[in-house]
Amino acid sequence: MKVISQNTAFGGMQGVFAHESSACNCEMTFAVFVPPQAISEPRPVLWYLSGLTCTHANVMEKGEYRRMAAELGLIIVCPDTSPRGNDVADELTNWQMGKGAGFYLDATEMPWSEHYRMYTYITEELPALVSQHFRMDMSRQGIFGHSMGGHGAMTIALKHPDRFKSCSAFAPIVQPSTADWSVPAFEKYLGPDRSTWRRYDACALVEDGARFPEFLIDQGKADSFLDNGLRPWLFEEAINGTGIGLTLRMHERYDHSYYFISTFMDDHLKWHAERLR
């Protein structure tokens, strides 16, 4: 692991690091914020997964999480959204496919399967790496994300309820197997057999028996992607009668941007901190 940058913020440390990833078969970059409390004791870990077109830097620079994370003593890990590099497959004119659009799945179709194994990277490789270098309490982990990252956070939590104690999302894609944003990408990454898509679809996972205690979702009503991509009401319908808890907050005038995310970031950090005590 090599250090790209380290900066002091709110008594803690904001770092950016890179390493050679065996899962993604390329160099991967990620960010970690370590609160001041981690000097003396292991602290809970909160994973933030970013959305389409983003890198680790979007939330790090615009998410406004450090002050509250330092106050609550939360370590925040911000991975990239996809593999990177000159030899990594991409679609240069399609922002919904390729670099910046890994959808947190393990691709099975060529040429994507050579590098696009973000599910394995997030759930196996990166946790093993960061737990060696930072004072983390891996028995207290939460996960959240935005848009495509909200989709990733929810599906990962549903498949790992033994690992994660909390999950929330900003404007998540809750049913990517039918959304305009994601259907073409899923077909290219995973092939035409839609039954294989269900393992990366929050609604389908619930229908197939996956369970998680509760979710927090914030959604802006002025989000231009609400009706054809996000559709949080579908998840509300999917969990009906399952015992899964859901706090779904719909906000007037808010859109899909980091202005929206930064407004409610403190709420999400406090919500996770309560469940990670």
Side-chain angles (χ1 to χ4, degrees), residues 45-238:
V45 185
L46 189 53
W47 297 82
Y48 179 89
L49 306 185
S50 290
L52 282 160
T53 75
C54 293
T55 69
H56 68 280
N58 293 73
V59 68
M60 189 180 77
E61 296 171 356
K62 298 182 287 187
E64 301 181 22
Y65 59 81
R66 277 173 289 271
R67 179 188 60 80
M68 185 55 64
E71 180 179 322
L72 297 170
L74 296 173
I75 294 175
I76 312 293
V77 182
C78 308
D80 202 347
T81 53
S82 76
R84 309 277 176 177
N86 293 333
D87 60 340
V88 173
D90 194 19
E91 290 188 0
L92 295 176
T93 60
N94 182 5
W95 61 276
Q96 296 168 326
M97 185 69 196
K99 295 177 187 177
F103 280 96
Y104 303 101
L105 51 76
D106 282 355
T108 58
E109 302 296 302
M110 288 294 291
W112 313 102
S113 57
E114 188 173 351
H115 296 281
Y116 287 80
R117 302 183 70 243
M118 289 300 296
Y119 178 78
T120 294
Y121 178 70
I122 297 296
T123 61
E124 297 180 19
E125 184 176 17
L126 190 56
L129 176 69
V130 296
S131 64
Q132 295 176 28
H133 293 276
F134 302 97
R135 192 166 287 168
M136 298 177 168
D137 183 351
M138 299 301 278
S139 69
R140 293 188 289 166
Q141 295 186 68
I143 189 166
F144 70 146
H146 170 230
S147 193
M148 177 185 72
H151 135 76
M154 292 173 70
T155 57
I156 289 171
L158 282 163
K159 288 190 281 190
H160 297 278
D162 55 332
R163 182 186 305 182
F164 297 101
K165 296 184 179 298
S166 57
C167 180
S168 71
F170 302 99
I173 309 172
V174 301
Q175 196 179 77
S177 63
T178 64
D180 291 350
W181 275 12
S182 40
V183 165
F186 270 44
E187 186 161 12
K188 292 172 185 176
Y189 284 139
L190 301 172
D193 181 1
R194 297 199 174 200
S195 66
T196 66
W197 302 6
R198 298 181 67 83
R199 73 190 78 164
Y200 302 111
D201 183 302
C203 291
L205 283 166
V206 170
E207 291 169 1
D208 292 343
R211 296 292 181 265
F212 196 78
E214 60 179 330
F215 295 89
L216 167 65
I217 295 177
D218 277 312
Q219 173 66 61
K221 289 187 176 181
D223 191 322
S224 60
F225 304 112
L226 178 58
D227 292 329
N228 66 349
L230 308 175
R231 307 169 296 166
W233 50 84
L234 296 179
F235 188 70
E236 194 171 31
E237 295 169 5

Side-chain angles (χ1 to χ4, degrees), residues 29-42:
T29 302
F30 63 94
V32 180
F33 175 73
V34 182
Q37 297 90 331
I39 295 173
S40 58
E41 62 178 354

